[in-house]
PDB file of all heavy atoms in Angstrom:
ATOM      1  N   GLY C  20       9.269   2.351   0.060  1.00 98.00           N
ATOM      2  CA  GLY C  20       7.825   2.198  -0.151  1.00 98.00           C
ATOM      3  C   GLY C  20       7.449   2.292  -1.614  1.00 98.00           C
ATOM      4  O   GLY C  20       8.314   2.252  -2.507  1.00 98.00           O
ATOM      5  N   PRO C  21       6.147   2.452  -1.895  1.00 98.00           N
ATOM      6  CA  PRO C  21       5.699   2.495  -3.285  1.00 98.00           C
ATOM      7  C   PRO C  21       6.050   3.809  -3.986  1.00 98.00           C
ATOM      8  O   PRO C  21       6.272   4.837  -3.345  1.00 98.00           O
ATOM      9  CB  PRO C  21       4.172   2.348  -3.179  1.00 98.00           C
ATOM     10  CG  PRO C  21       3.823   2.584  -1.765  1.00 98.00           C
ATOM     11  CD  PRO C  21       5.041   2.516  -0.933  1.00 98.00           C
ATOM     12  N   ILE C  22       6.084   3.746  -5.323  1.00 98.00           N
ATOM     13  CA  ILE C  22       6.343   4.917  -6.177  1.00 98.00           C
ATOM     14  C   ILE C  22       5.322   4.874  -7.316  1.00 98.00           C
ATOM     15  O   ILE C  22       5.038   3.799  -7.859  1.00 98.00           O
ATOM     16  CB  ILE C  22       7.761   4.841  -6.802  1.00 98.00           C
ATOM     17  CG1 ILE C  22       8.840   4.764  -5.713  1.00 98.00           C
ATOM     18  CG2 ILE C  22       8.021   6.034  -7.712  1.00 98.00           C
ATOM     19  CD1 ILE C  22      10.210   4.312  -6.221  1.00 98.00           C
ATOM     20  N   ILE C  23       4.752   6.035  -7.647  1.00 98.00           N
ATOM     21  CA  ILE C  23       3.902   6.109  -8.840  1.00 98.00           C
ATOM     22  C   ILE C  23       4.495   7.149  -9.793  1.00 98.00           C
ATOM     23  O   ILE C  23       5.139   8.100  -9.354  1.00 98.00           O
ATOM     24  CB  ILE C  23       2.426   6.426  -8.500  1.00 98.00           C
ATOM     25  CG1 ILE C  23       2.271   7.769  -7.772  1.00 98.00           C
ATOM     26  CG2 ILE C  23       1.813   5.301  -7.666  1.00 98.00           C
ATOM     27  CD1 ILE C  23       0.820   8.184  -7.509  1.00 98.00           C
ATOM     28  N   PHE C  24       4.316   6.938 -11.086  1.00 97.00           N
ATOM     29  CA  PHE C  24       4.929   7.848 -12.065  1.00 97.00           C
ATOM     30  C   PHE C  24       4.074   7.883 -13.337  1.00 97.00           C
ATOM     31  O   PHE C  24       3.017   7.236 -13.396  1.00 97.00           O
ATOM     32  CB  PHE C  24       6.376   7.424 -12.366  1.00 97.00           C
ATOM     33  CG  PHE C  24       6.545   5.961 -12.702  1.00 97.00           C
ATOM     34  CD1 PHE C  24       6.518   5.532 -14.021  1.00 97.00           C
ATOM     35  CD2 PHE C  24       6.700   5.007 -11.692  1.00 97.00           C
ATOM     36  CE1 PHE C  24       6.656   4.185 -14.329  1.00 97.00           C
ATOM     37  CE2 PHE C  24       6.835   3.651 -11.994  1.00 97.00           C
ATOM     38  CZ  PHE C  24       6.816   3.242 -13.328  1.00 97.00           C
ATOM     39  N   ASP C  25       4.509   8.651 -14.331  1.00 96.00           N
ATOM     40  CA  ASP C  25       3.758   8.848 -15.592  1.00 96.00           C
ATOM     41  C   ASP C  25       2.303   9.257 -15.356  1.00 96.00           C
ATOM     42  O   ASP C  25       1.389   8.657 -15.921  1.00 96.00           O
ATOM     43  CB  ASP C  25       3.786   7.562 -16.446  1.00 96.00           C
ATOM     44  CG  ASP C  25       5.124   7.344 -17.123  1.00 96.00           C
ATOM     45  OD1 ASP C  25       6.016   8.191 -16.942  1.00 96.00           O
ATOM     46  OD2 ASP C  25       5.279   6.340 -17.832  1.00 96.00           O
ATOM     47  N   PRO C  26       2.045  10.281 -14.532  1.00 98.00           N
ATOM     48  CA  PRO C  26       0.660  10.637 -14.230  1.00 98.00           C
ATOM     49  C   PRO C  26      -0.004  11.477 -15.325  1.00 98.00           C
ATOM     50  O   PRO C  26       0.674  12.066 -16.178  1.00 98.00           O
ATOM     51  CB  PRO C  26       0.789  11.468 -12.949  1.00 98.00           C
ATOM     52  CG  PRO C  26       2.138  12.110 -13.067  1.00 98.00           C
ATOM     53  CD  PRO C  26       3.012  11.133 -13.811  1.00 98.00           C
ATOM     54  N   ALA C  27      -1.329  11.504 -15.272  1.00 98.00           N
ATOM     55  CA  ALA C  27      -2.152  12.373 -16.134  1.00 98.00           C
ATOM     56  C   ALA C  27      -3.211  12.969 -15.205  1.00 98.00           C
ATOM     57  O   ALA C  27      -4.392  12.674 -15.301  1.00 98.00           O
ATOM     58  CB  ALA C  27      -2.789  11.552 -17.250  1.00 98.00           C
ATOM     59  N   SER C  28      -2.754  13.792 -14.272  1.00 98.00           N
ATOM     60  CA  SER C  28      -3.575  14.166 -13.115  1.00 98.00           C
ATOM     61  C   SER C  28      -4.717  15.131 -13.441  1.00 98.00           C
ATOM     62  O   SER C  28      -4.677  15.864 -14.423  1.00 98.00           O
ATOM     63  CB  SER C  28      -2.696  14.807 -12.037  1.00 98.00           C
ATOM     64  OG  SER C  28      -1.826  13.847 -11.484  1.00 98.00           O
ATOM     65  N   PHE C  29      -5.703  15.090 -12.565  1.00 98.00           N
ATOM     66  CA  PHE C  29      -6.775  16.085 -12.514  1.00 98.00           C
ATOM     67  C   PHE C  29      -7.555  15.818 -11.235  1.00 98.00           C
ATOM     68  O   PHE C  29      -7.336  14.801 -10.572  1.00 98.00           O
ATOM     69  CB  PHE C  29      -7.681  16.019 -13.762  1.00 98.00           C
ATOM     70  CG  PHE C  29      -8.461  14.729 -13.918  1.00 98.00           C
ATOM     71  CD1 PHE C  29      -9.792  14.636 -13.516  1.00 98.00           C
ATOM     72  CD2 PHE C  29      -7.875  13.609 -14.495  1.00 98.00           C
ATOM     73  CE1 PHE C  29     -10.507  13.452 -13.676  1.00 98.00           C
ATOM     74  CE2 PHE C  29      -8.578  12.425 -14.658  1.00 98.00           C
ATOM     75  CZ  PHE C  29      -9.907  12.347 -14.245  1.00 98.00           C
ATOM     76  N   TYR C  30      -8.415  16.752 -10.859  1.00 98.00           N
ATOM     77  CA  TYR C  30      -9.298  16.549  -9.711  1.00 98.00           C
ATOM     78  C   TYR C  30     -10.575  15.889 -10.213  1.00 98.00           C
ATOM     79  O   TYR C  30     -11.274  16.442 -11.064  1.00 98.00           O
ATOM     80  CB  TYR C  30      -9.603  17.884  -9.029  1.00 98.00           C
ATOM     81  CG  TYR C  30      -8.459  18.379  -8.178  1.00 98.00           C
ATOM     82  CD1 TYR C  30      -7.421  19.134  -8.732  1.00 98.00           C
ATOM     83  CD2 TYR C  30      -8.391  18.067  -6.821  1.00 98.00           C
ATOM     84  CE1 TYR C  30      -6.358  19.572  -7.959  1.00 98.00           C
ATOM     85  CE2 TYR C  30      -7.327  18.494  -6.035  1.00 98.00           C
ATOM     86  CZ  TYR C  30      -6.314  19.244  -6.609  1.00 98.00           C
ATOM     87  OH  TYR C  30      -5.258  19.660  -5.835  1.00 98.00           O
ATOM     88  N   GLY C  31     -10.865  14.689  -9.698  1.00 98.00           N
ATOM     89  CA  GLY C  31     -12.027  13.934 -10.152  1.00 98.00           C
ATOM     90  C   GLY C  31     -12.577  13.051  -9.051  1.00 98.00           C
ATOM     91  O   GLY C  31     -12.265  13.242  -7.865  1.00 98.00           O
ATOM     92  N   HIS C  32     -13.384  12.063  -9.435  1.00 98.00           N
ATOM     93  CA  HIS C  32     -13.976  11.116  -8.486  1.00 98.00           C
ATOM     94  C   HIS C  32     -12.937  10.051  -8.159  1.00 98.00           C
ATOM     95  O   HIS C  32     -12.366   9.434  -9.072  1.00 98.00           O
ATOM     96  CB  HIS C  32     -15.216  10.480  -9.143  1.00 98.00           C
ATOM     97  CG  HIS C  32     -15.993   9.607  -8.218  1.00 98.00           C
ATOM     98  ND1 HIS C  32     -16.986   8.765  -8.663  1.00 98.00           N
ATOM     99  CD2 HIS C  32     -15.943   9.440  -6.876  1.00 98.00           C
ATOM    100  CE1 HIS C  32     -17.512   8.125  -7.625  1.00 98.00           C
ATOM    101  NE2 HIS C  32     -16.889   8.520  -6.533  1.00 98.00           N
ATOM    102  N   SER C  33     -12.707   9.806  -6.889  1.00 98.00           N
ATOM    103  CA  SER C  33     -11.663   8.852  -6.482  1.00 98.00           C
ATOM    104  C   SER C  33     -11.853   7.473  -7.134  1.00 98.00           C
ATOM    105  O   SER C  33     -10.874   6.800  -7.475  1.00 98.00           O
ATOM    106  CB  SER C  33     -11.628   8.719  -4.959  1.00 98.00           C
ATOM    107  OG  SER C  33     -12.906   8.360  -4.458  1.00 98.00           O
ATOM    108  N   GLU C  34     -13.100   7.057  -7.342  1.00 98.00           N
ATOM    109  CA  GLU C  34     -13.354   5.733  -7.938  1.00 98.00           C
ATOM    110  C   GLU C  34     -12.750   5.608  -9.342  1.00 98.00           C
ATOM    111  O   GLU C  34     -12.406   4.506  -9.781  1.00 98.00           O
ATOM    112  CB  GLU C  34     -14.862   5.471  -8.029  1.00 98.00           C
ATOM    113  CG  GLU C  34     -15.523   5.243  -6.683  1.00 98.00           C
ATOM    114  CD  GLU C  34     -17.038   5.067  -6.800  1.00 98.00           C
ATOM    115  OE1 GLU C  34     -17.596   5.131  -7.915  1.00 98.00           O
ATOM    116  OE2 GLU C  34     -17.677   4.881  -5.745  1.00 98.00           O
ATOM    117  N   TYR C  35     -12.661   6.720 -10.038  1.00 98.00           N
ATOM    118  CA  TYR C  35     -12.118   6.732 -11.410  1.00 98.00           C
ATOM    119  C   TYR C  35     -10.728   6.105 -11.454  1.00 98.00           C
ATOM    120  O   TYR C  35     -10.369   5.420 -12.414  1.00 98.00           O
ATOM    121  CB  TYR C  35     -12.080   8.187 -11.910  1.00 98.00           C
ATOM    122  CG  TYR C  35     -11.455   8.393 -13.273  1.00 98.00           C
ATOM    123  CD1 TYR C  35     -12.251   8.463 -14.420  1.00 98.00           C
ATOM    124  CD2 TYR C  35     -10.074   8.549 -13.429  1.00 98.00           C
ATOM    125  CE1 TYR C  35     -11.683   8.673 -15.670  1.00 98.00           C
ATOM    126  CE2 TYR C  35      -9.502   8.744 -14.673  1.00 98.00           C
ATOM    127  CZ  TYR C  35     -10.314   8.812 -15.789  1.00 98.00           C
ATOM    128  OH  TYR C  35      -9.744   9.009 -17.029  1.00 98.00           O
ATOM    129  N   GLU C  36      -9.941   6.345 -10.404  1.00 98.00           N
ATOM    130  CA  GLU C  36      -8.554   5.867 -10.340  1.00 98.00           C
ATOM    131  C   GLU C  36      -8.473   4.352 -10.440  1.00 98.00           C
ATOM    132  O   GLU C  36      -7.509   3.804 -10.962  1.00 98.00           O
ATOM    133  CB  GLU C  36      -7.938   6.325  -9.011  1.00 98.00           C
ATOM    134  CG  GLU C  36      -6.438   6.196  -8.953  1.00 98.00           C
ATOM    135  CD  GLU C  36      -5.744   7.456  -9.477  1.00 98.00           C
ATOM    136  OE1 GLU C  36      -5.648   7.614 -10.713  1.00 98.00           O
ATOM    137  OE2 GLU C  36      -5.310   8.268  -8.645  1.00 98.00           O
ATOM    138  N   LEU C  37      -9.484   3.661  -9.888  1.00 98.00           N
ATOM    139  CA  LEU C  37      -9.402   2.207  -9.789  1.00 98.00           C
ATOM    140  C   LEU C  37      -9.809   1.502 -11.079  1.00 98.00           C
ATOM    141  O   LEU C  37      -9.671   0.288 -11.203  1.00 98.00           O
ATOM    142  CB  LEU C  37     -10.288   1.713  -8.634  1.00 98.00           C
ATOM    143  CG  LEU C  37      -9.902   2.258  -7.250  1.00 98.00           C
ATOM    144  CD1 LEU C  37     -10.849   1.737  -6.189  1.00 98.00           C
ATOM    145  CD2 LEU C  37      -8.459   1.913  -6.893  1.00 98.00           C
ATOM    146  N   ALA C  38     -10.297   2.271 -12.077  1.00 97.00           N
ATOM    147  CA  ALA C  38     -10.806   1.658 -13.308  1.00 97.00           C
ATOM    148  C   ALA C  38      -9.704   0.989 -14.112  1.00 97.00           C
ATOM    149  O   ALA C  38      -9.755  -0.204 -14.391  1.00 97.00           O
ATOM    150  CB  ALA C  38     -11.535   2.702 -14.145  1.00 97.00           C
ATOM    151  N   ILE C  39      -8.674   1.757 -14.450  1.00 96.00           N
ATOM    152  CA  ILE C  39      -7.605   1.165 -15.277  1.00 96.00           C
ATOM    153  C   ILE C  39      -6.766   0.198 -14.447  1.00 96.00           C
ATOM    154  O   ILE C  39      -6.233  -0.782 -14.976  1.00 96.00           O
ATOM    155  CB  ILE C  39      -6.727   2.249 -15.961  1.00 96.00           C
ATOM    156  CG1 ILE C  39      -5.900   1.606 -17.093  1.00 96.00           C
ATOM    157  CG2 ILE C  39      -5.880   3.026 -14.973  1.00 96.00           C
ATOM    158  CD1 ILE C  39      -5.255   2.572 -18.042  1.00 96.00           C
ATOM    159  N   ALA C  40      -6.699   0.424 -13.129  1.00 95.00           N
ATOM    160  CA  ALA C  40      -5.976  -0.504 -12.245  1.00 95.00           C
ATOM    161  C   ALA C  40      -6.566  -1.915 -12.375  1.00 95.00           C
ATOM    162  O   ALA C  40      -5.835  -2.907 -12.364  1.00 95.00           O
ATOM    163  CB  ALA C  40      -6.070  -0.027 -10.796  1.00 95.00           C
ATOM    164  N   GLY C  41      -7.892  -1.995 -12.532  1.00 93.00           N
ATOM    165  CA  GLY C  41      -8.548  -3.305 -12.615  1.00 93.00           C
ATOM    166  C   GLY C  41      -8.554  -3.918 -14.002  1.00 93.00           C
ATOM    167  O   GLY C  41      -8.914  -5.080 -14.171  1.00 93.00           O
ATOM    168  N   MET C  42      -8.143  -3.151 -15.017  1.00 94.00           N
ATOM    169  CA  MET C  42      -8.241  -3.649 -16.399  1.00 94.00           C
ATOM    170  C   MET C  42      -7.094  -4.553 -16.800  1.00 94.00           C
ATOM    171  O   MET C  42      -7.284  -5.523 -17.514  1.00 94.00           O
ATOM    172  CB  MET C  42      -8.321  -2.458 -17.376  1.00 94.00           C
ATOM    173  CG  MET C  42      -9.698  -1.839 -17.447  1.00 94.00           C
ATOM    174  SD  MET C  42      -9.702  -0.200 -18.228  1.00 94.00           S
ATOM    175  CE  MET C  42      -9.049  -0.527 -19.866  1.00 94.00           C
ATOM    176  N   PHE C  43      -5.896  -4.231 -16.351  1.00 91.00           N
ATOM    177  CA  PHE C  43      -4.716  -4.954 -16.834  1.00 91.00           C
ATOM    178  C   PHE C  43      -3.965  -5.693 -15.729  1.00 91.00           C
ATOM    179  O   PHE C  43      -2.851  -6.154 -15.935  1.00 91.00           O
ATOM    180  CB  PHE C  43      -3.764  -3.981 -17.559  1.00 91.00           C
ATOM    181  CG  PHE C  43      -4.421  -3.268 -18.714  1.00 91.00           C
ATOM    182  CD1 PHE C  43      -4.637  -1.897 -18.666  1.00 91.00           C
ATOM    183  CD2 PHE C  43      -4.835  -3.965 -19.829  1.00 91.00           C
ATOM    184  CE1 PHE C  43      -5.249  -1.234 -19.727  1.00 91.00           C
ATOM    185  CE2 PHE C  43      -5.444  -3.321 -20.897  1.00 91.00           C
ATOM    186  CZ  PHE C  43      -5.651  -1.957 -20.850  1.00 91.00           C
ATOM    187  N   GLY C  44      -4.559  -5.791 -14.552  1.00 89.00           N
ATOM    188  CA  GLY C  44      -3.920  -6.544 -13.465  1.00 89.00           C
ATOM    189  C   GLY C  44      -2.742  -5.804 -12.853  1.00 89.00           C
ATOM    190  O   GLY C  44      -2.526  -4.620 -13.119  1.00 89.00           O
ATOM    191  N   GLY C  45      -1.972  -6.522 -12.029  1.00 88.00           N
ATOM    192  CA  GLY C  45      -0.787  -5.933 -11.416  1.00 88.00           C
ATOM    193  C   GLY C  45      -1.010  -5.415 -10.011  1.00 88.00           C
ATOM    194  O   GLY C  45      -0.083  -4.949  -9.361  1.00 88.00           O
ATOM    195  N   PHE C  46      -2.271  -5.492  -9.525  1.00 96.00           N
ATOM    196  CA  PHE C  46      -2.576  -5.009  -8.172  1.00 96.00           C
ATOM    197  C   PHE C  46      -3.159  -6.161  -7.356  1.00 96.00           C
ATOM    198  O   PHE C  46      -4.133  -6.775  -7.770  1.00 96.00           O
ATOM    199  CB  PHE C  46      -3.567  -3.840  -8.231  1.00 96.00           C
ATOM    200  CG  PHE C  46      -3.008  -2.626  -8.931  1.00 96.00           C
ATOM    201  CD1 PHE C  46      -3.110  -2.483 -10.311  1.00 96.00           C
ATOM    202  CD2 PHE C  46      -2.346  -1.636  -8.224  1.00 96.00           C
ATOM    203  CE1 PHE C  46      -2.584  -1.373 -10.965  1.00 96.00           C
ATOM    204  CE2 PHE C  46      -1.811  -0.523  -8.862  1.00 96.00           C
ATOM    205  CZ  PHE C  46      -1.929  -0.398 -10.239  1.00 96.00           C
ATOM    206  N   SER C  47      -2.561  -6.410  -6.205  1.00 96.00           N
ATOM    207  CA  SER C  47      -2.962  -7.562  -5.389  1.00 96.00           C
ATOM    208  C   SER C  47      -4.188  -7.234  -4.541  1.00 96.00           C
ATOM    209  O   SER C  47      -4.578  -6.073  -4.396  1.00 96.00           O
ATOM    210  CB  SER C  47      -1.805  -7.943  -4.465  1.00 96.00           C
ATOM    211  OG  SER C  47      -1.617  -6.890  -3.535  1.00 96.00           O
TER     212      SER C  47
END
């Protein structure tokens, strides 16, 4: 399955996660 790495974690608003995902592509 999927793997995620190089995190910079904190507790925040879930929507925040999708911001950089949408900036540089790579997500279908």
